[in-house]
Amino acid sequence: MAERAYTQAMGRDEATGGRATVDAPFGNALVEIARTRTDIVGLTADLGKYTDILPFRDAHPERFFNVGMAEQNLVAVAAGLARTGLVPFATTYGVFASRRAFDFIAIACAHSNLPVKIVAGLPGLTTGYGGTHQAIEDTGLMRLIPDLVVIDPCDATEIAAATKAAAVHPGPVYMRLLRGKVPVVFEPDGFDFAIGKARLLREGGDVGFVSTGFMTERALDAAEALEKRGISAGVLHAPTLKPFDAEAVIRFAGEVEHLVTAENHVVRGGLASLVAETLFDAGMTKRLQRIGLPDRYIECGSVPTLQRRYGLMMDDLVAAATGERA
């Protein structure tokens, strides 16, 4: 029998960098959690095949709900379930959660501090379907909502760990989703994820990359490339954008000559803005280069082509660190 495909793979264009991959790490982690947590329920807005929640549906069909193409209703139903003592994981695309259901997340979930977990697919340039489907401003919007945790995981290992952390967090969570066959960057054995904590992956004295999401993999590759050129580059991974680990950023910034932020998001409102705000609040002056997307809607195209065109590649990080990119 052929292996069952849980995810409709636009993901062929989502580069794995030659690393090992894990299939549907979010959905499979949720299945594992739900074995001992009968309060876990799963929901989607007719996007189960595209948000890696089908493993949960098949393992626990009585706890799975498809509300149809109605994202506001998705969040409202999740909030209602949470009020009965359940812990809902609601999946949709990031653009639909952050644009169509923003008020419902803010008021129905966060205002009441309900344990609703929004799992958002197609973050930034992980799809070539253009501005209607590319969530390029979602973390900037979500971090404005009081008491809402915002997570942008790097790889399959961190997605699974962050899903478990979200399940035990008492309040609402918004987590970006890398789906399908997701690369493994972090060794799973002994990996620990804590909401609100950054992770120092590499020390360096010349330049420091502060990165989030899949851009951390590219920051690590860029640091290795820079080392071959005699440049010492550190990498600080910040998977939680709210609450933000400002103390870790300040410590890290104090060890390097200048900083480069790297995010799969517009450079206004997301990680770059958080780092700039952190430095300002600490009274610290540091040269800051920002790698991310411009303030515009991105056209349709293949994912690798778009990522190259808009400067999200490892070479772009190297160029920013060496001053070759203005």
Side-chain angles (χ1 to χ4, degrees):
M1 179 181 293
E3 181 181 355
R4 184 166 190 171
Y6 278 118
T7 301
Q8 182 72 20
M10 279 181 280
R12 288 184 181 179
D13 286 337
E14 297 167 21
T16 61
R19 289 183 164 92
T21 62
V22 171
D23 191 32
F26 158 68
N28 287 303
L30 196 60
V31 169
E32 180 184 342
I33 296 164
R35 286 196 184 104
T36 56
R37 290 275 305 274
T38 58
D39 57 339
I40 299 292
V41 295
L43 302 88
T44 191
D46 215 25
L47 287 172
K49 192 172 184 179
Y50 304 92
T51 56
D52 282 1
I53 200 170
L54 293 191
F56 179 86
R57 178 202 67 182
D58 291 349
H60 304 285
E62 75 286 357
R63 290 193 259 161
F64 175 78
F65 307 94
N66 184 353
V67 305
M69 298 172 64
E71 292 77 17
Q72 294 176 349
N73 193 42
L74 170 74
V75 176
V77 170
L81 292 170
R83 285 194 176 277
T84 71
L86 298 174
V87 177
F89 279 76
T91 69
T92 184
Y93 289 163
V95 285
F96 302 153
S98 60
R99 296 175 190 168
R100 297 181 183 178
F102 182 88
D103 182 66
F104 287 73
I105 295 172
I107 303 304
C109 301
H111 186 267
S112 298
N113 198 35
L114 296 176
V116 175
K117 322 303 175 181
I118 308 295
V119 182
L122 304 190
L125 292 190
T126 56
T127 175
Y129 281 2
T132 59
H133 284 64
Q134 296 157 345
I136 63 171
E137 71 289 273
D138 59 324
T139 63
L141 289 167
M142 291 296 117
R143 79 178 184 95
L144 297 177
I145 297 177
D147 299 322
L148 179 66
V149 168
V150 180
I151 303 173
D152 192 3
C154 167
D155 75 335
T157 300
E158 192 160 58
I159 289 171
T163 301
K164 294 174 183 177
V168 299
H169 179 71
V173 175
Y174 178 90
M175 184 176 81
R176 283 179 137 196
L177 173 68
L178 300 175
R179 61 182 194 164
K181 295 187 181 298
V182 180
V184 176
V185 178
F186 301 137
E187 174 59 45
D189 291 342
F191 185 85
D192 181 54
F193 179 89
I195 289 175
K197 293 296 182 183
R199 183 180 297 270
L200 180 62
L201 302 178
R202 183 179 178 124
E203 295 182 345
D206 296 322
V207 60
F209 292 110
V210 183
S211 55
T212 192
F214 72 67
M215 291 301 290
T216 291
E217 179 181 6
R218 298 175 188 192
L220 288 167
D221 291 342
E224 290 186 10
L226 288 165
E227 184 178 19
K228 295 175 182 177
R229 297 169 61 168
I231 299 172
S232 175
V235 179
L236 180 68
H237 173 52
T240 310
L241 299 175
K242 186 173 184 175
F244 190 61
D245 194 348
E247 292 183 2
V249 171
I250 293 168
R251 287 195 303 270
F252 185 66
E255 299 297 323
V256 297
E257 293 297 320
H258 72 280
L259 293 171
V260 177
T261 58
E263 60 192 310
N264 173 37
H265 187 271
V266 292
V267 294
R268 294 177 176 86
L271 176 67
S273 294
L274 279 163
V275 171
E277 292 164 15
T278 296
L279 297 176
F280 177 83
D281 289 343
M284 181 180 288
T285 301
K286 191 72 60 171
R287 184 160 68 92
L288 177 65
Q289 286 277 93
R290 300 175 297 170
I291 298 292
L293 300 172
D295 184 19
R296 56 162 292 178
Y297 293 111
I298 307 299
E299 65 272 22
C300 295
S302 77
V303 171
T305 296
L306 293 173
Q307 291 185 1
R308 282 193 296 271
R309 180 173 296 171
Y310 291 100
L312 298 186
M313 307 305 289
M314 183 267 285
D315 291 344
D316 297 298
L317 275 69
V318 170
T322 58
E324 297 164 11
R325 170 171 167 163

